[in-house]
Amino acid sequence: MTPMTTEGENPRTTAQPAGSARRALVGRLSWGLADQAASSVSNFAVGIYVARSLGVTAFGVFSLAWVTYGVVLNVSRGLATDPLVVRFSGVPDASWRGAVARSTGTALGVGAALGAACLVAGLGLGGRVGPAFAALGVMLPGLLLQDAWRFSFFAAGAGRKAFVNDVVWGVALVPAMVVAAHVGTVAAFVLAWGASATVAAGYGYLQSGILPRTTLARGWLREQRDLGYRYLVENVSLSGASQLRAYGLGAIVGVSAVGAVRGAELLLGPFLAVLMGLSLVTVPEAARVLRQAPHHLGRFCLLLGGGQAAGALLWGSALLLMPDRLGELALGDVWRSSSLLIVQITLSVAGAGLGTGAAAGLRALGAARRSLRCQLFASACYIGGGLGGAAVAGTAGSAWGVAAATVSGSAVWWLQLRSALREHHHKPVPEVRTS
């Protein structure tokens, strides 16, 4: 059996003075923001470059490959890195290293298996979409391993290493994008994006000195099955809903509509960088709050979610005031259709930001059943609103449907967190796995 220890026995989480603990929290959050800024600048640059280079229809094809990657990424996170972050944040170094070897090996195995399936599907599809999916299949192992290193570093409180890793990806991306631009195809851009991530994944091994152990993946899945499989379903329902909405929107309205939605999301890119940067550290930080001051968890989650929602609304308001010439400079021809969706996309991001606070609390509490229930409800609303809106009012209707679904889903997250906190107050502090 896996040894267990209470939080009081963990040398990394002994009580600290309030001021020192607050400074440590700010430092970890800062590295999370810096890391996501580096990651999102790269992703934003790729999106802008492809949009300007290939036009709205080809950008729609690229976006279909992108959302497919999102689904696979969430499979990897649910099975490999989400349990790592929940159970091995702030544990002794030996425990962390052993868990990371198994977790990154699992991520690499997921990338190889699903990458092979994606490659076969792409070769069978042909046409415009097939080559992009085939290229994605080849690149998935490196993409997923790079992401696993980021979460591993944040679990250890070493956000600086995650930041440096993403900077390496961004630097490698520059020459890769230049080569892709000369080729001028969607598949070339996918290969360039994935190859640069693979370089960063290799650097992650140098940073950590830990070799991913794919042979231990089965053991990791067995050890973490109580959380991993629920997180898998939860994560895939989220990204799968996005993928089904994209495919459905393309079928109902056209591939160009997918490009328009993705273009509007790119306009929110800087703020999404903040939101995603916080998401890297919110669960570890919520877990620390729960162990050190459990009565503060609800307030922590409320400040987290409310701050993100307010930031999204402010950013969206600024976008509405942006001159058309600046939008065209950023997105080219995609700007015309994407600019009409700014209000809807802003509301969607604000709703997601608000719900993220409650989701972090549920993850920290280990309330996998409740979080799964919330995510399934939110995903069903997302698909129904996105496709129902598309059938009624095209691209704009789909965006309004998604905005309504996201706000509704956020309300359910908060209701479940309130119930989970009430239950927790009547239970003893749970033991924490450290190896």
Side-chain angles (χ1 to χ4, degrees):
M1 291 183 63
T2 304
M4 306 286 284
T5 180
T6 62
E7 185 62 26
E9 297 170 336
N10 188 341
R12 286 195 179 185
T13 53
T14 53
Q16 301 178 33
S20 175
R22 190 176 298 111
R23 286 192 296 272
L25 169 61
V26 171
R28 290 190 295 267
L29 291 175
S30 298
W31 280 118
L33 292 175
D35 170 73
Q36 190 57 46
S39 176
S40 294
V41 164
S42 298
N43 291 339
F44 183 74
V46 170
I48 293 296
Y49 204 59
V50 175
R52 289 183 58 83
S53 300
L54 302 180
V56 67
T57 300
F59 186 57
V61 174
F62 182 83
S63 299
L64 291 176
W66 189 282
V67 297
T68 302
Y69 158 71
V71 174
V72 178
L73 180 65
N74 278 298
V75 171
S76 176
R77 287 179 177 177
L79 294 176
T81 53
D82 283 347
L84 176 76
V85 168
V86 170
R87 285 184 166 150
F88 295 91
S89 290
V91 302
D93 187 67
S95 299
W96 174 80
R97 293 180 69 84
V100 168
R102 303 194 300 278
S103 175
T104 54
T106 301
L108 193 58
V110 169
L114 296 185
C118 196
L119 174 62
V120 171
L123 295 175
L125 282 172
R128 283 187 169 185
V129 177
F133 275 73
L136 177 64
V138 173
M139 293 292 104
L140 276 176
L143 284 161
L144 298 190
L145 180 58
Q146 192 275 338
D147 185 75
W149 286 128
R150 296 172 69 207
F151 279 81
S152 298
F153 293 140
F154 276 109
R160 181 182 60 83
K161 289 186 176 181
F163 169 74
V164 172
N165 192 276
D166 270 321
V167 169
V168 169
W169 185 1
V171 171
L173 189 62
V174 175
M177 285 288 109
V178 172
V179 174
H182 283 294
V183 178
T185 65
V186 175
F189 280 103
V190 174
L191 288 172
W193 168 56
S196 54
T198 302
V199 171
Y203 184 65
Y205 165 69
L206 297 178
Q207 287 177 291
S208 65
I210 300 173
L211 182 67
R213 302 290 297 276
T214 55
T215 56
L216 300 180
R218 181 175 298 179
W220 174 261
L221 294 175
R222 184 172 58 252
E223 293 168 14
Q224 311 301 328
R225 62 182 179 274
D226 58 327
L227 293 182
Y229 292 118
R230 288 194 177 98
Y231 288 158
L232 168 65
V233 176
E234 182 181 329
N235 290 355
V236 171
S237 68
L238 170 64
S239 55
S242 177
Q243 186 179 29
L244 288 175
R245 186 260 185 128
Y247 290 166
L249 183 61
I252 295 170
V253 183
V255 176
S256 60
V258 181
V261 170
R262 176 60 185 157
E265 291 172 347
L266 280 175
L267 294 172
L268 271 292
F271 177 76
L272 288 173
V274 175
L275 191 153
M276 294 182 68
L278 289 173
S279 73
L280 290 170
V281 291
T282 49
V283 176
E285 292 308 322
R288 288 184 175 94
V289 171
L290 177 64
R291 295 167 192 169
Q292 297 171 3
H295 54 288
H296 288 159
L297 180 61
R299 185 175 65 179
F300 173 82
C301 295
L302 182 60
L303 290 172
L304 175 67
Q308 290 180 110
L313 294 174
L314 288 173
W315 185 265
S317 299
L319 287 176
L320 291 173
L321 301 175
M322 187 169 70
D324 286 341
R325 65 179 181 276
L326 292 181
E328 291 171 357
L329 180 64
L331 294 180
D333 293 338
V334 178
W335 164 256
R336 297 178 185 176
S337 51
S338 295
S339 62
L340 302 176
L341 307 176
I342 291 175
V343 172
Q344 299 97 307
I345 298 298
T346 298
L347 292 175
S348 297
V349 174
L354 184 61
T356 297
L362 287 175
R363 286 284 176 96
L365 289 164
R369 290 184 180 180
R370 288 187 180 276
S371 61
L372 174 59
R373 203 176 301 149
C374 292
Q375 192 56 66
L376 291 175
F377 173 82
S379 297
C381 290
Y382 186 95
I383 295 172
L387 298 186
V392 172
T395 308
S398 179
W400 279 116
V402 166
T406 304
V407 173
S408 300
S410 178
V412 173
W413 279 105
W414 278 101
L415 290 172
Q416 288 294 323
L417 177 61
R418 185 177 66 174
S419 298
L421 287 171
R422 287 175 177 173
E423 288 181 0
H424 181 76
H425 292 327
H426 294 88
K427 293 180 180 179
V429 176
E431 293 183 330
V432 181
R433 189 173 302 181
T434 61
S435 64

